[in-house]
Amino acid sequence: MDETARTEIEAAAFRRLVEHLQERTDVQNIDLMDLAGFCRNCLSRWYLEAADERGIPLAKAEAQRIVYGMPYEDWKAKFQTERA
């Protein structure tokens, strides 16, 4: 597999992961952290860091919107629950 194909496949897998997390609003970030060691906030931070490494300007709020599918504060208001 050449580097271009690998990058395209990795990008498609990332997009599918983000789509899945956007659909599974019942899964809380704290649960993801407990089980997997990362959450939506981690993904948005990694996205922001990757843009920064490439000299691409991107605001934290925009990276969060990309991962959450909406502004982070809206997601929190709609879907975040108290931990039992």
Side-chain angles (χ1 to χ4, degrees):
M1 177 182 318
D2 68 20
E3 189 65 24
T4 299
R6 189 180 81 117
T7 299
E8 289 174 3
I9 291 167
E10 289 171 349
F14 174 79
R15 287 189 297 269
R16 182 62 190 104
L17 171 61
V18 168
E19 180 183 322
H20 179 75
L21 291 173
Q22 288 174 359
E23 291 169 1
R24 290 297 311 269
T25 56
D26 60 309
V27 178
Q28 298 295 303
N29 281 332
I30 191 69
D31 298 326
L32 285 169
M33 286 299 295
D34 286 347
L35 293 171
F38 78 98
C39 68
R40 293 170 185 89
N41 289 327
C42 297
L43 286 177
S44 65
R45 188 181 72 248
W46 298 338
Y47 196 96
L48 183 62
E49 289 170 359
D52 187 55
E53 288 170 4
R54 289 156 181 78
I56 299 169
L58 184 67
K60 178 181 177 180
E62 180 60 16
Q64 290 174 322
R65 190 199 62 73
I66 289 165
V67 171
Y68 282 90
M70 65 183 67
Y72 176 57
E73 292 302 321
D74 291 352
W75 190 94
K76 280 177 43 177
K78 290 181 179 182
F79 304 114
Q80 187 167 311
T81 60
E82 293 295 319
R83 189 162 195 191

